[in-house]
Amino acid sequence: MESAPPNRSDLLRVTKLTKTYAVGDAQVVALDGVDFVAASGEFVVILGPSGSGKSTFLNLIGGLDTASAGQAWFRDWQITGADDAGLTRYRRNHVGFVFQFYNLVPSLTARENVQLVTEIATNPMAPAEALAMVDMADRMDHFPAQLSGGEQQRVAIARAIAKRPDILLCDEPTGALDSKTGIVVLEALTRINAELGTTTLVITHNAAIRTIAHRVVSFADGRIAAIDTNAERQPAASVRW
Amino acid sequence: MVSGLSALHRKLLRELLRLWAQVLAIALVMAAGVATLLIGIGTYQSLERTREAYYQSHHLANVFATVTRAPGSMLAKIGAMDGVLAVDGRIVKVALADIEGLEQPASVRLISLPQQQAGTLNRLYLRSGRLPEAANHMEAVVSEIFAQAHGFREGSQFGVVVNGAWRQVTITGIALAPDHVYAIAPGEITPNSGRFGILWAPERTLAAAYDLGGAFNAVSVQLAPGTSEDAVITELDRLLDPFGAQGAHGRSQLTSHAYLDAELQQLRSMSEVLPPVFLLVAAFLVNMTLTRLIALEREQIGLLKAIGYSGRAIAWHYVEFVLLIAIIGLVIGTSFGVWAGNALTELYTRFYSFPVLVFSREPSLYAIAGGITLAAAVVGAIRAVRAAAALPPAVAMSPPAPPTYRRHSTRRLHLPLRQTGVMVMRQLLHRPWRSGGGIVGIALSVAVLVGSLWSVGGVEFMIDYSFNRTERQDAIVNFTSSKPLAATAEIARLPGVLSAEPFRAVGVEIGHAQVTRQIALMGRPATSPLTRILDADLKVVPIPPQGVLLTRSLAGILGVSPGDSVDIRLLDGERQRHQLHVAAVVESYLGLGAYMDMAALQALIGEGNRISGVNVTIDSLHQSELFAALKRSPSLGHISLQAAALTQFRATMAQNMYVMIAVLVGLASLIAFGVVYNFARISLSEQGREMASLRVLGFTRGEVSALLLTEIAILTLLAQPLGWFLGVLVARGMVEGFSSELFSMPLIIGPDVFATASLAVMAAALLSGLVVRRRVDRLDLIAVLKTRE
Ligand SMILES: Nc1ncnc2c1ncn2[C@@H]1O[C@H](COP(=O)(O)OP(=O)(O)O)[C@@H](O)[C@H]1O
Ligand SMILES: [Mg+2]
């Protein structure tokens, strides 16, 4: 079962990653021996029906949850097997998260939400700079409750990238948005990927989005059913749904 | 079991179980309220009603007077006075007792028993045995507490020095009397179960021994309802004046009654302060917890309303929720209260002799405690419940309007806060009422602590003041009757005596305007290093060659200040009246006192340089030789040891007080824990999502819990000054509740009291914070992120 540490050029390497949940007496296999490698700077879109294991996969490689079996490596550091303190450090220094429900701190303004992260990161960008990257420079002093859903999600992205993470993990970032705002959010993600070279994994159940990725990973029944490489990427602005 | 319940009731029970820790914390605070209420009022009721019934059934007199010697014929004259229902003349004497195995001398009060009990006042309650008969050998019944202290039973014997002659006394029974519920030796401040007792002996025996045949020296009078006590006292004084009357007085100056009154007063002030504090805090906790519960169940409320439940039904559902909490609190509080009440009553029976003293079983008491507690719970619930009832279903089903935070002036204040600090500040400022309530709740626990802990220092100060700084003698030798000054040298020559200092004490009635009190006026030599008099600043006040020094409490009662004059009437001998000017007011915490120069007092009395006794310091190595010498020459008098008095003081007052303080410290910690725990749980419930988000962002467990702990720390710190302030008020209230003419307490609150109170509350807060912190550590990051707020 033990596999060798990944090549140094691979940012993320996953072998036979498995997660089972005990539900009552039954075992639910959420993730069933997944192998996957992501190179530095890649933009990956993850597709798949609901319940196919996408979120479980993302949570495991983001260090939010622990695997039942298999391994995940970040560069030459093993994510699986790290303790809570190790995972916290990993998330703090290397991972940015964006979720469907933006999870902003309601009592902090947009800028302060970003500052929350920059204050504890080792090499952050200025909060204003991060907000400018998502076109939120002019609404920095608004509280989340004063912002639209799309705006809140852009603040969440700014917060996720302000630490200059190595990996940006997005779980259905457009899930709660209408298509127009969703596209603005996707544009922000592709721009960051292009400008900062942040390896980005985006879960969506919206197949139309697949065109903006370098590679498209399709999940089904806890396994990776297919990996397609886009010969040509389309700009986010061209996506329609 | 659950299946028979309606759906709403099932929901109710599940909520209670799910929130068990918060429910328990609130219930415990309520329980503290119930318990203090029961203990305070229940003990008060028991003591007061038992006393009243005892006084009734055993005919306690209303007015009491002592004379040197009055013929029995006077009794008929007194009985003929207006408003007098019954009169009873007795022979009352204090004598030394010589009890085997008791090194230190004890004393007894001998009281004559008329041949017939019927028609007498202050009747005996015979616990066991039989009444004494006039026989060749001396028979007597003995007071119960004294008997218990020495293991006396019927047939036990000991020696008593009756009128200078040693007599063997045989005990025929054990008894109590309503005028000696609390038996205390003359001049002492605490009961001394083993060293002071009452002996009731046949009248004939005492009359023969003291040469008082056909005469009496103590008289008691029972008044018809509505009779003016003052008028009878005046008239009685006039009638008895030719017989060496020492001034009649009512029950209020009967030592036994006065001590009971002081105890009742303390119980009352306790039940006026503590239960409201606990119930107030409980109401606040109910409010806080229910408000959050209703906020969480907003959608369920909308749903229930949409399917046809009325606003009333929903309101009642939440009221039932708090009533159940209150019932849990009542059950716990009543059990503890009844247990502690019984224990306290049991403790009382060690000092107070009643035929029966049991903790109150009045149904009304329990009904009141229950009613007040339920009411406090409902009052706490009202605001939240009203809001729930008024919520229109459509509004309830949609998510609540997002909270509007304001950028409070943190930036203007230039507080160097991190964003997590900003979060804490805004969370606290966003709910000013709750934060304020939390601060007040914690402050109240600090206040209860300050208000109870200070008294340790107060009592120690009082002890130090009374036993080390002022009365520095080791023992007091009280002569049975006054002796010439030369007796000082005689005492000084006794084995073990290191130094001796004479004093002259005379019973006087001291008055100003309409107010009078009977006290011992103490004359001391101009230089009296053993017994000093101090003022409030602990500076020695020299005894002025003329004029009198009054203790603060006496000056207060008489309403006089230095420069005024007071009327003095001697209670002995010629009963002359004098006017003395008040030279200064001095400090004293025990009893009412007045001091003057011994020579001046002797001149006032006009009987030469006679003294009443001698204060001595003794060499503890030769103490027993001294006692033996004094026992051999009983005419010398009666010795009382300061060390024994101090031990006794500690064993009674101080001990009771420390038990009380221990209970209060526990209860105060309960408040602190309850308030902080509920506050933290609600804060966590509100901010759990944000905290999980922070964890996802890479904040450590410690950093995230710090949010909660900082919130608690800020509240706790802000509560301290308020708590100190309220604590001083509580202490002041206690001083007033505690002060009587028998003793008062100095209100001295050292920094250590504030520090101890604060540390105890902080420890309780920290503990509850850490308990809640464990929940922060277990936050389910993924589950939180999956759901919409
Ligand atoms: N905490 C959990 N307990 C039990 N089963 C779970 C848990 N989380 C996810 N699952 C199950 O694991 C499977 C994969 O879930 P998930 O990764 O959330 O799917 P996706 O994100 O692709 O919709 C599903 O069948 C889901 O029900
Ligand atoms: Mg998912």
Side-chain angles (χ1 to χ4, degrees), chain B residues 532-617:
Chain B
R532 306 188 305 174
I533 298 163
L534 305 179
D535 65 10
D537 301 325
L538 297 180
K539 280 208 292 285
V540 175
V541 180
I543 295 177
Q546 293 300 324
V548 63
L549 301 174
L550 299 186
T551 60
R552 195 168 42 82
S553 41
L554 181 56
I557 288 166
L558 299 179
V560 295
S561 32
D564 292 343
S565 66
V566 287
D567 303 314
I568 300 278
R569 189 168 67 94
L570 302 181
L571 295 175
D572 265 334
E574 302 290 301
R575 291 180 306 288
Q576 313 116 312
R577 290 173 185 278
H578 300 274
Q579 283 228 324
L580 290 173
H581 80 94
V582 178
V585 170
V586 300
E587 198 54 74
S588 169
Y589 301 107
L590 302 174
L592 305 177
Y595 308 92
M596 61 187 292
D597 180 71
M598 190 165 83
L601 179 60
Q602 285 163 339
L604 204 68
I605 308 169
E607 53 173 30
N609 60 358
R610 297 185 75 84
I611 60 174
S612 315
V614 180
N615 290 309
V616 293
T617 53

Side-chain angles (χ1 to χ4, degrees), chain A residues 21 23 28 30 49-56, chain B residues 786:
Chain A
Y21 290 105
V23 178
V28 174
S50 177
S52 57
K54 308 179 297 290
S55 296
T56 305
Chain B
K786 272 186 186 161

Side-chain angles (χ1 to χ4, degrees), chain B residues 293-317:
Chain B
L293 184 66
I294 286 172
L296 284 175
E297 297 189 342
R298 201 184 148 85
E299 289 179 31
Q300 297 177 41
I301 294 170
L303 183 76
L304 287 172
K305 285 193 173 175
I307 62 176
Y309 281 89
S310 66
R312 244 201 145 106
I314 293 184
W316 177 241
H317 170 67

Side-chain angles (χ1 to χ4, degrees), chain B residues 479-772:
Chain B
F479 299 144
T480 26
S481 56
S482 67
K483 292 183 187 295
L485 184 59
T488 311
E490 199 182 324
I491 296 287
R493 273 197 305 275
L494 289 175
V497 173
L498 299 177
S499 65
E501 188 181 285
F503 64 87
R504 179 71 172 119
V506 286
V508 301
E509 185 179 85
I510 188 166
H512 179 79
Q514 297 306 312
V515 193
T516 60
R517 286 291 181 276
Q518 290 179 19
I519 56 159
L521 175 57
M522 178 65 78
R524 285 179 180 162
T527 53
S528 47
L530 290 189
T531 52
R532 306 188 305 174
I533 298 163
L534 305 179
D535 65 10
D537 301 325
L538 297 180
K539 280 208 292 285
V540 175
V541 180
I543 295 177
Q546 293 300 324
V548 63
L549 301 174
L550 299 186
T551 60
R552 195 168 42 82
S553 41
L554 181 56
I557 288 166
L558 299 179
V560 295
S561 32
D564 292 343
S565 66
V566 287
D567 303 314
I568 300 278
R569 189 168 67 94
L570 302 181
L571 295 175
D572 265 334
E574 302 290 301
R575 291 180 306 288
Q576 313 116 312
R577 290 173 185 278
H578 300 274
Q579 283 228 324
L580 290 173
H581 80 94
V582 178
V585 170
V586 300
E587 198 54 74
S588 169
Y589 301 107
L590 302 174
L592 305 177
Y595 308 92
M596 61 187 292
D597 180 71
M598 190 165 83
L601 179 60
Q602 285 163 339
L604 204 68
I605 308 169
E607 53 173 30
N609 60 358
R610 297 185 75 84
I611 60 174
S612 315
V614 180
N615 290 309
V616 293
T617 53
I618 51 188
D619 178 353
S620 54
L621 287 178
H622 299 285
Q623 189 170 292
S624 43
E625 290 160 53
L626 174 62
F627 292 153
L630 282 168
K631 253 187 196 177
R632 274 194 307 277
S633 48
S635 71
L636 257 186
H638 157 73
I639 185 166
S640 55
L641 281 180
Q642 290 292 90
L646 177 57
T647 310
Q648 198 57 39
F649 184 81
R650 283 193 188 283
T652 54
M653 285 199 50
Q655 194 195 344
N656 287 0
M657 190 165 239
Y658 291 157
V659 169
M660 198 61 155
I661 285 169
V663 171
L664 287 178
V665 168
L667 295 181
S669 313
L670 204 64
I671 299 187
F673 187 90
V675 170
V676 173
Y677 183 77
N678 273 283
F679 198 94
R681 279 296 299 271
I682 288 166
S683 197
L684 175 61
S685 150
E686 284 179 351
Q687 299 183 90
R689 190 183 178 80
E690 279 128 86
M691 291 180 175
S693 298
L694 292 189
R695 291 281 287 128
V696 169
L697 291 176
F699 281 77
T700 62
R701 282 179 179 169
E703 285 164 340
V704 172
S705 342
L707 234 69
L708 206 60
L709 297 178
T710 310
E711 220 173 276
I712 293 171
I714 289 173
L715 289 189
T716 309
L717 288 180
L718 287 179
Q720 300 309 314
L722 179 62
W724 296 336
F725 173 73
L726 293 176
V728 171
L729 293 189
V730 172
R732 193 169 292 160
M734 268 186 68
V735 167
E736 267 154 34
F738 183 83
S739 294
S740 60
E741 295 190 7
L742 303 168
F743 25 66
S744 60
M745 261 174 97
L747 181 62
I748 297 169
I749 311 184
D752 54 325
V753 169
F754 295 115
T756 313
S758 292
L759 284 177
V761 168
M762 286 179 194
L766 185 68
L767 184 70
S768 50
L770 291 179
V771 172
V772 178

Side-chain angles (χ1 to χ4, degrees), chain A residues 3 20 23 33 41 48 56 58 79 82 106 125 145 173 180 183 185 187 211 239:
Chain A
S3 70
T20 53
V23 178
T56 305
L58 213 66
I79 303 165
M125 56 179 91
K180 197 160 152 263
I183 287 159
V185 166
E187 280 184 305
T211 55
V239 177

Side-chain angles (χ1 to χ4, degrees), chain A residues 59 64-65 84 88 91-92 97 99 101 103 105-109 112 115-117 119-120 141 143 145 159 163, chain B residues 402 405 407 411 418-419 422-423 426 689-690 693-701 703 781-782 785-788:
Chain A
N59 291 340
L64 287 179
D65 206 349
D84 183 74
T88 302
R91 292 198 299 269
R92 187 175 188 136
F97 287 100
F99 296 96
F101 308 111
N103 290 309
V105 175
S107 60
L108 297 181
T109 61
E112 289 165 342
Q115 256 175 296
L116 198 56
V117 166
E119 280 171 356
I120 61 165
D141 290 327
F143 284 100
R159 188 177 67 177
K163 68 171 90 155
Chain B
Y405 289 89
R407 298 172 55 195
R411 209 153 276 140
R418 289 188 138 213
Q419 296 314 314
V422 175
M423 284 175 71
R426 291 206 183 128
R689 190 183 178 80
E690 279 128 86
S693 298
L694 292 189
R695 291 281 287 128
V696 169
L697 291 176
F699 281 77
T700 62
R701 282 179 179 169
E703 285 164 340
L781 306 187
I782 298 163
L785 298 171
K786 272 186 186 161
T787 52
R788 183 168 60 90

